[in-house]
Amino acid sequence: MPFFTVDAELPGRRGRAGVIHTPHGDIATPAFIAVGTKATVKAVLPETMRELGAQAVLANAYHLYLQPGPDIVDEAGGLGAFMNWPGPTFTDSGGFQVLSLGAGFRKVLSMDANRVQADDVIAEGKQRLARVDDDGVTFISHLDGSTHRFTPEVSMQIQHKLGADIIFAFDELTTLVNTRGYQEESVARTQAWAVRCLTEHRRLTAQRPERPSQALFGVVQGAQYEDLRRQASRDLAGIVDDQGRGFDGYGIGGALEKQNLATIVGWCTEELPDDKPRHLLGISEPDDLFAAVAAGADTFDCVSPSRVARNAAVYSPTGRFNITGARYRRDFTPIDADCDCYTCGRYTRAYLHHLFKAKEILSATLCTIHNERFIVRLVDQIRAAIGAGEFDELRDHVLGNYYRS
């Protein structure tokens, strides 16, 4: 069976609906991949994530390397067994930490390309904890200050021990304010690392033939530059091993300005193979989801639904709002009367308001369940709309309501 099959396409655009086949189950695409950074979606049971419709979860290789360590996850039987998640799993390579530790930016979509360009950029008030060279990255642990070294080979070794179904090649994520010259160097470095990742991935796979197969995705960088994005995509598509096998899919990563997201994704998907899935790292807002799907992204991940939930922000069909607002103190209706999640079926806005004001842990659990379900359900609706030929109608209806204020 092919790793990825396409069932329906958006006429005149790159978007499609399909299925990714993994050893731990199928992923119907487009799909939102819930982020469980440290082998958990914060505040929510893995069983609950399954019940709310999440098809797969993504964990972070950097964080699991530091705590508890890949050897422990391996001994437990891999990421899924370790966290009691029966479905497909992803791990990212740790490349994002090159940016977040090295420059201090946490959300790439919020970065500003209009700032003065500089290659030693660092976010205000942050300390540089990572240094990049052509061989890899040396970084200081945010936990205890110890020094560590990631190379493409080390990243593959860690991810093989973590045992996720889909893993990513080690890449360097730049900021939008790096100079054009540095972006060119970084793309070349990421391409060289991709070759090394594929070689090491094949070696490690051959060493452990009894283990479930893992799919390796190459990662496209190139920031806001069309020629770099297109060239990076073509170069990654051309990387093959000595048996002529290339990457199983591709991640579209790096610094993306929100207003140019669809354009940049389109540059990449026009150059990448049509028969392999494309994962867009780090988006979850409704307008971004529709734009990314239309441009050809098949899966996406983002911490935002759970992160904002822990800060009392909840999604609704008419936009996101903060449940701690005074108006909700005596509001005995659910967050969304039409939502089928556990929270909306059992709890009121007034109760959630109370939980946050009382600083109760349950507040994060209930609001995270709702937000994750909201995004998972929306992407499910997008997928169904592609098959039914109703994508544009759904987009106009959803975004018209969500952003009308």
Side-chain angles (χ1 to χ4, degrees):
M1 178 185 296
F3 175 63
F4 178 62
T5 53
V6 175
D7 300 327
E9 297 179 341
L10 277 178
R13 285 163 286 184
R14 305 292 298 174
R16 67 267 184 98
V19 181
I20 298 172
H21 305 280
T22 82
H24 292 94
D26 291 346
I27 304 170
T29 67
F32 177 71
I33 312 303
V35 176
T37 301
K38 301 177 183 179
T40 174
V41 177
K42 291 186 187 299
V44 179
L45 289 169
E47 294 86 347
T48 303
M49 292 303 300
R50 193 71 168 177
E51 291 167 1
L52 64 80
Q55 299 186 70
V57 296
L58 179 145
N60 183 278
Y62 161 83
H63 286 287
L64 294 180
Y65 161 77
L66 291 177
Q67 175 67 41
D71 291 344
I72 291 177
V73 177
D74 189 18
E75 188 176 341
L79 176 62
F82 185 55
M83 64 180 291
N84 195 34
W85 172 260
T89 52
F90 292 57
T91 50
D92 60 12
S93 69
F96 177 75
Q97 275 62 43
V98 175
L99 173 73
S100 62
L101 293 176
F105 290 104
R106 295 176 65 189
K107 300 177 182 178
V108 297
L109 288 177
S110 68
M111 292 195 301
D112 182 5
N114 296 319
R115 290 177 53 180
V116 176
Q117 289 197 325
D119 290 332
D120 202 39
V121 63
I122 186 166
E124 184 178 354
K126 298 293 183 178
Q127 176 186 3
R128 187 176 301 280
L129 298 178
R131 291 287 179 179
V132 183
D133 57 58
D134 286 342
D135 183 60
V137 182
T138 299
F139 63 89
I140 298 171
S141 168
H142 71 286
L143 296 178
D144 62 9
S146 57
T147 300
H148 302 265
R149 177 80 173 165
F150 268 22
T151 65
E153 291 78 13
V154 169
S155 177
M156 289 296 95
Q157 292 159 16
I158 292 168
Q159 292 188 80
H160 268 254
K161 288 183 178 180
L162 296 177
D165 296 295
I166 295 174
I167 64 178
F168 288 87
F170 192 56
D171 62 311
E172 181 188 6
L173 173 58
T174 58
T175 73
L176 289 172
V177 296
N178 283 113
T179 62
R180 165 70 191 224
Y182 189 87
Q183 300 287 7
E184 293 174 357
E185 294 173 9
S186 179
V187 166
R189 185 180 296 120
T190 291
Q191 298 296 113
W193 289 358
V195 173
R196 292 166 59 186
C197 283
L198 186 60
T199 300
E200 183 68 0
H201 172 60
R202 299 293 186 225
R203 185 186 73 82
L204 294 168
T205 300
Q207 281 186 347
R208 305 173 77 176
E210 74 284 358
R211 295 291 296 270
S213 62
Q214 293 177 279
L216 177 61
F217 283 27
V219 180
V220 179
Q221 295 291 347
Q224 68 268 44
Y225 299 102
E226 179 176 3
D227 60 330
L228 293 184
R229 286 283 182 177
R230 289 187 180 277
Q231 187 63 52
S233 300
R234 289 192 295 267
D235 289 348
L236 277 176
I239 295 174
V240 296
D241 60 19
D242 54 8
Q243 299 183 32
R245 298 172 300 172
F247 290 103
D248 301 293
Y250 300 91
I252 301 172
L256 302 173
E257 289 183 291
K258 183 181 178 72
Q259 63 268 30
N260 294 325
L261 184 146
T263 299
I264 294 173
V265 172
W267 296 337
C268 299
T269 59
E270 287 173 7
E271 305 292 344
L272 292 170
D274 288 331
D275 62 345
K276 295 185 178 181
R278 311 140 181 164
H279 181 86
L280 182 57
L281 294 111
I283 70 157
S284 66
E285 289 301 306
D287 56 342
D288 295 332
L289 293 172
F290 279 99
V293 168
D298 299 303
T299 54
F300 348 83
D301 72 88
C302 193
V303 299
S304 185
S306 58
R307 176 179 287 162
V308 302
R310 297 193 301 276
N311 290 285
V314 292
Y315 298 119
S316 81
T318 55
R320 200 171 85 184
F321 65 91
N322 195 302
I323 199 70
T324 57
R327 72 181 71 179
Y328 306 115
R329 187 181 179 194
R330 286 184 168 86
D331 187 339
F332 301 107
T333 63
I335 297 171
D336 173 10
D338 295 323
C339 179
D340 59 1
C341 80
Y342 176 90
T343 301
C344 287
R346 293 165 176 82
Y347 300 99
T348 66
R349 296 178 178 188
Y351 182 64
L352 296 170
H353 174 94
H354 156 69
L355 291 177
F356 275 105
K357 291 297 184 179
K359 303 187 186 307
E360 289 289 345
I361 295 172
L362 185 58
S363 60
T365 298
L366 294 178
C367 287
T368 300
I369 289 171
H370 169 76
N371 280 3
E372 292 284 349
R373 175 57 185 161
F374 183 92
I375 298 299
V376 165
R377 184 185 183 196
L378 175 58
V379 178
D380 288 349
Q381 291 170 339
I382 292 173
R383 181 171 64 252
I386 293 174
E390 299 172 349
F391 176 84
D392 293 324
E393 292 83 353
L394 178 67
R395 179 199 59 209
D396 293 346
H397 172 73
V398 170
L399 300 188
N401 287 326
Y402 194 84
Y403 296 105
R404 65 184 177 184
S405 59

